[in-house]
Amino acid sequence: MAKKGLMYALLSALLLSTMNLFVKMLGSNIPSGEIAFFRGLFGTVAVLIVMYTQGIRFSKEDRGHLLMRGLYGGFGMVCNFIALVHLKLSDATILFQTSGIFVLIFSALFLKERVPKGAGKWLLLIFVAVMVMVNPFSFTGFTWFALVAILGAALSAAAYTTIRLISKRGKHSNFEIMAYFMITGMIAGLVTTDKLVMPQGTDWLIILAIGGISVVAQFFLTGAFVTTNAVVAQFLQYVGVFINSFYGFLFFGESLSVETIGAGVAMFLSSVMLARLKEQSGPLQEGKVIEDKIK
């Protein structure tokens, strides 16, 4: 089971990185919001088919929380796609990883879950690493799209935290929660697109690839958290940073700066330490927040 979980985690990292590659390719012709719309459309169709075949119905409870989860996740997806199009794949992917840190903060603020003792220094190190990457004090080096990536990570973390709140009641199917995300993802994509562009030729093939890969990647990601240690599965996703960096070099001639490498390593090590502290500090040893967030 553990070996299967590791394989699932690595496959999900590969597939999500490949999806990011296609998003960046498509972003030269199609607005980021429109790409998010199509991804949401494919996901909605797939989830609704599963709900229909399994006899799962939309419930009347917690609709406010379900809607907020969808809105956070939908607009977070749009921010992530915008960052993928305008930043280096490696930079965007590293900044996306800050979502785990926001989950830790939001769960403490809104769910009253205890922040692990000794977490302060690791959070500070992550903050410094992010500042190095964003470079807010240099006019030539600063880019607003880095802040968009961080906003996307924060919105995704808000969605994960909302799922954690919903899951405590235990009254909703995972597919129902996913349906709200996919449907609102479509809406978020539309409202953030100034002008719709009709895909041409190979654009449709890339759109189909994005939709199909995202569904399959979700399957492997879910399998990873079910069949192996949640912390191990989560941080194997950092393999995606290196895959994205390779794709960026191979297809777009991108290169990693020394600062980016250093910041990425610092964020990875700090995140691992935070996960260990979290696992040792209380009843969330099973990684329930992490497991819930992927459903």
Side-chain angles (χ1 to χ4, degrees), residues 14-281:
L14 174 62
L15 288 171
L16 289 172
S17 299
T18 304
M19 187 195 73
N20 290 343
L21 169 65
F22 285 137
V23 168
K24 191 170 182 67
M25 285 181 171
L26 195 62
S28 60
N29 301 324
I30 307 296
S32 302
E34 189 173 345
I35 299 173
F37 165 77
F38 280 116
R39 189 201 174 189
L41 176 62
F42 276 96
T44 298
V45 172
V47 171
L48 290 181
I49 289 175
V50 172
M51 291 179 68
Y52 177 78
T53 57
Q54 298 295 320
I56 300 171
R57 298 179 179 274
F58 285 97
S59 63
K60 296 181 180 180
E61 300 181 17
D62 299 321
R63 283 182 173 174
H65 288 141
L66 287 166
L67 181 60
M68 292 307 297
R69 179 271 181 269
L71 290 174
Y72 290 144
F75 282 101
M77 178 174 64
V78 173
C79 289
N80 290 346
F81 282 6
I82 291 172
L84 283 170
V85 171
H86 294 281
L87 294 175
K88 292 181 179 180
L89 282 173
S90 57
D91 290 1
T93 308
I94 291 173
L95 290 172
F96 293 164
Q97 299 301 328
T98 58
S99 63
I101 312 308
F102 283 113
V103 168
L104 186 67
I105 296 172
F106 291 164
S107 63
L109 290 176
F110 301 108
L111 302 181
K112 307 305 180 184
E113 294 177 351
R114 186 174 57 184
V115 175
K117 186 178 180 180
K121 59 179 177 293
W122 301 113
L123 290 171
L124 178 61
L125 181 57
I126 290 172
F127 176 77
V128 172
V130 170
M131 288 297 100
V132 169
M133 289 194 64
V134 175
N135 200 8
F137 304 109
S138 171
F139 180 77
T140 57
F142 173 75
T143 171
W144 285 102
F145 295 114
L147 297 184
V148 172
I150 296 174
L151 175 60
L155 287 170
S156 297
Y160 304 156
T161 307
T162 307
I163 292 174
R164 171 68 176 159
L165 180 63
I166 295 170
S167 68
K168 286 184 175 182
R169 300 176 182 269
K171 297 181 179 180
H172 301 280
S173 162
N174 296 326
F175 290 106
E176 180 187 10
I177 297 173
M178 284 179 61
Y180 273 88
F181 164 57
M182 295 299 179
I183 294 170
T184 53
M186 286 195 302
I187 298 172
L190 285 178
V191 301
T192 54
T193 302
D194 294 332
K195 182 180 179 181
L196 294 176
V197 177
M198 179 60 67
Q200 302 293 327
T202 56
D203 291 343
W204 286 111
L205 294 177
I206 298 177
I207 289 171
L208 288 171
I210 291 172
I213 288 173
S214 64
V215 173
V216 178
Q218 185 72 45
F219 167 79
F220 283 125
L221 192 59
T222 302
F225 283 102
V226 170
T227 56
T228 191
N229 180 276
V231 174
V232 173
Q234 181 190 24
F235 289 103
L236 275 175
Q237 296 306 301
Y238 272 92
V239 173
V241 174
F242 299 99
I243 299 174
N244 278 279
S245 300
F246 175 72
Y247 282 158
F249 170 76
L250 188 63
F251 292 97
F252 305 105
E254 299 174 355
S255 60
L256 280 172
S257 67
V258 175
E259 292 82 1
T260 297
I261 294 173
V265 170
M267 289 176 62
F268 171 72
L269 293 177
S270 299
S271 298
V272 170
M273 292 306 300
L274 284 171
R276 289 184 62 188
L277 290 173
K278 185 70 173 177
E279 192 176 31
Q280 296 168 2
S281 66

